[in-house]
Amino acid sequence: MNSNDEVLVAGVDSSTQSTKVMVCDARTGTVVRTGRAEHPDTTEVDPGEWWSAFTSATGGLLDGVAAIGVAGQQHGMVTVDDGGAVVRPALLWNDTRSAKAAADLTEELGGPQAWADAVGSVPVASFTVTKLRWMAEHEPELADRVARVMLPHDWLTWRLTGGDPVTDRGDASGTGYFSPAKGAYRTDILTQAFGGRHPELPRVLDPAEAAGHTPDGTLVSAGTGDNMAAALALEIGDGDVVVSLGTSGTVFGVCETPAADPTGTVAGFADATGRFLPLACTLNAARVLTATARLLNVELAELDRLALAADPGAEGLTLLPYLDGERTPNLPEAAGSVFGLRRANMTPENLARAAVEGMLCGLAAGLEAVREQGISVRRVLLIGGAAQSQSVRTIAPMVFGVPVAVPEPAEHVAIGAARQAAWALAGTPEPPAWQTDVASRLAEPTAGDAEQGERIRQRHLESRALVHNV
Ligand SMILES: Nc1ncnc2c1ncn2[C@@H]1O[C@H](COP(=O)(O)OP(=O)(O)O)[C@@H](O)[C@H]1O
Ligand SMILES: O=C(CO)[C@@H](O)[C@H](O)COP(=O)(O)O
């Protein structure tokens, strides 16, 4: 087949820190063009900033593209008035101002078990429903103007098609007013949370259903949440658990039955294929490393060198990395702490190592929690910006206690969105078979690693209990 027969699809990852675009061959998934643009570093953002980043990142890339899909950071609250204008800047998943609203809503519905039964998750400040409650209480006049509520990827998809707003069950499952088990909104929960108001919600599309077309005729797929798109790109199956180290740290697997964890550690999301995606999420991942590098006044490569020059356990130094508060465990007001400082161990090497170990320990606790939800963990697939870190790659098998594979470096969220676009274009029952190379770089923990990993995790949990009583 010659290059004139090549069909191209584009995938967009509109995540916390940036927009990334991958243009792929629709049959094989081979990446042919890429683009990127940064987002503002704030927890409330005018959605227009995402549109600017989208236009800048896609500039000159979409010629000949037959279909496009958008994956976005989950949970963000986008409010739109009758005329289609944004009512206030979107509150992002990592904005913790709605922590009290989360606690109030949890009690009002009858406690954590009632939420887990109703929508598969217990709300924390990240969930859209808590942001709507915050708005109803703090900005009632603005809340009165809200005609529609959308998620970041819904809003971008809507701007692309100009049609009726749509979403998918994966992203909808992070709102707190959609039941993944039933595949339906709980508008009663939304209305109660939003002070009796009834905003319109996007229609929930099937996984391969098209959202519409752009004005120049490009097919637009349903889109989804960023974690769901990564799962689609990696085609994860039984025994695979993804750990994503971006702004958030996430741990998730895919399964056939919905999860409902009343402890709130695991959110019972839906995936982008019709299955389910239990997920644990921390607020502090890649930025723990960038903040530590800044403190030590070194580049990320030097941080890696320092961390790998220290012994496992950092000679007793433990860092609880709650630099932006924390979501799992639910400690929105927490700050970070360092334990075990002595004159002898107070070195840049040990601090760098403690930062990497501390970040990974938060995810190790998430791994245990998804395991308890029935996900089997035979290997971890490490993705996201901080998966590029050499120290993270080396230390992760020890802290996680399972083999860790780093899939070929790529923007897996954008590739998943592109694969969804190819699926909508093909109209087939299953997504197109794309090449995925995950197993080739598997790092196994050694026997010694197991013991050291256990000690590092234990010390992390003890430090956490000491300060935060959890
Ligand atoms: N080699 C590296 N070591 C550590 N962190 C890195 C490295 N490369 C990129 N990062 C960090 O990864 C983050 C971006 O990851 P990404 O998954 O794109 O985030 P998000 O999806 O939240 O926007 C940034 O904080 C960046 O500094
Ligand atoms: O809130 C969650 C998951 O529930 C986050 O994972 C967001 O979806 C943001 O992801 P990144 O931008 O950090 O990739």
Side-chain angles (χ1 to χ4, degrees):
M1 195 174 269
N2 67 43
S3 62
N4 292 336
D5 299 319
E6 192 177 52
V7 177
L8 297 178
V9 289
V12 178
D13 171 10
S14 178
S15 281
T16 313
Q17 296 190 46
S18 64
T19 295
K20 299 144 206 166
V21 182
M22 298 277 131
V23 176
C24 304
D25 180 322
R27 287 165 308 144
T28 61
T30 304
V31 176
V32 295
R33 300 198 281 265
T34 68
R36 180 187 179 103
E38 300 306 307
H39 292 174
D41 180 10
T42 49
T43 63
E44 60 177 322
V45 175
D46 175 356
E49 299 274 2
W50 302 327
W51 185 252
S52 303
F54 171 85
T55 41
S56 156
T58 52
L61 292 187
L62 299 183
D63 282 356
V65 164
I68 186 167
V70 180
Q73 54 179 309
Q74 293 182 242
H75 312 296
M77 178 191 74
V78 182
T79 47
V80 170
D81 71 13
D82 259 342
V86 165
V87 173
R88 76 172 323 287
L91 293 183
L92 306 193
W93 67 278
N94 56 350
D95 189 295
T96 54
R97 77 186 71 182
S98 55
K100 179 174 178 304
D104 292 347
L105 286 171
T106 302
E107 200 177 311
E108 281 171 29
L109 195 71
Q113 183 71 58
W115 276 93
D117 292 343
V119 293
S121 302
V122 182
V124 288
S126 294
F127 283 71
T128 329
V129 69
T130 71
K131 300 176 190 302
L132 287 166
R133 166 56 65 85
W134 180 91
M135 191 179 182
E137 284 180 346
H138 293 85
E139 298 175 340
E141 279 146 28
L142 289 182
D144 285 342
R145 285 181 41 213
V146 175
R148 287 175 163 152
V149 180
M150 297 181 213
L151 294 166
H153 112 258
D154 308 342
W155 184 83
L156 283 162
T157 303
W158 183 53
R159 286 226 37 181
L160 276 171
T161 64
D164 288 337
V166 294
T167 191
D168 85 306
R169 56 193 278 288
D171 218 5
S173 64
T175 58
Y177 42 83
F178 177 84
S179 161
K182 298 212 162 70
Y185 282 121
R186 286 288 307 260
T187 49
D188 56 327
I189 291 179
L190 168 69
T191 300
Q192 161 79 15
F194 204 32
R197 298 171 183 84
H198 303 269
E200 273 182 44
L201 295 173
R203 187 164 63 86
V204 182
L205 299 181
D206 288 336
E209 202 176 337
H213 291 84
T214 63
D216 65 6
T218 308
L219 184 99
V220 183
S221 64
T224 191
D226 53 2
N227 293 295
M228 294 77 198
L232 181 58
L234 295 164
E235 210 166 8
I236 56 175
D238 190 35
D240 292 335
V241 172
V242 176
V243 172
S244 170
L245 303 172
T247 316
S248 63
T250 57
V251 184
F252 54 90
V254 165
C255 54
E256 301 294 334
T257 51
D261 173 13
T263 72
T265 307
V266 174
F269 296 147
D271 83 338
T273 69
R275 293 179 291 166
F276 299 91
L277 188 136
L279 177 147
C281 178
T282 69
L283 257 182
N284 298 284
R287 282 169 164 172
V288 174
L289 306 188
T290 47
T292 308
R294 198 175 58 229
L295 176 74
L296 296 175
N297 199 21
V298 297
E299 300 292 325
L300 288 171
E302 176 62 4
L303 186 82
D304 278 340
R305 195 197 62 74
L306 291 169
L308 291 172
D311 286 338
E315 292 189 272
L317 221 103
T318 300
L319 187 138
L320 285 186
Y322 304 152
L323 308 184
D324 289 313
E326 192 44 281
R327 163 168 164 183
T328 314
N330 184 15
L331 299 167
E333 308 297 336
S337 331
V338 181
F339 297 85
L341 277 174
R342 292 182 182 279
R343 195 154 51 81
N345 68 10
M346 203 169 161
T347 63
E349 287 82 357
N350 283 331
L351 186 63
R353 176 104 197 181
V356 175
E357 289 179 353
M359 174 192 73
L360 290 174
C361 279
L363 278 314
L367 198 60
E368 198 43 48
V370 297
R371 201 183 256 130
E372 279 166 17
Q373 289 300 307
I375 296 286
S376 73
V377 188
R378 277 201 298 278
R379 64 176 180 180
V380 159
L381 309 181
L382 200 62
I383 64 165
Q388 300 311 312
S389 153
Q390 201 47 52
S391 61
V392 168
R393 291 176 178 199
T394 307
I395 297 168
M398 176 186 287
V399 174
F400 294 155
V402 292
V404 174
V406 184
E408 240 355 270
E411 296 298 345
H412 298 286
V413 173
I415 291 177
R419 188 167 183 225
Q420 188 197 57
W423 191 9
L425 192 65
T428 46
E430 297 298 324
W434 278 11
Q435 301 145 354
T436 44
D437 168 28
V438 289
S440 58
R441 304 217 262 141
L442 206 63
E444 309 261 355
T446 63
D449 280 355
E451 205 180 298
Q452 276 165 332
E454 171 63 29
R455 207 170 40 239
I456 292 165
R457 290 194 302 273
Q458 200 50 41
R459 259 208 345 245
H460 178 90
L461 292 177
E462 282 164 11
S463 307
R464 199 175 91 171
L466 196 66
V467 188
H468 300 289
N469 206 20
V470 288

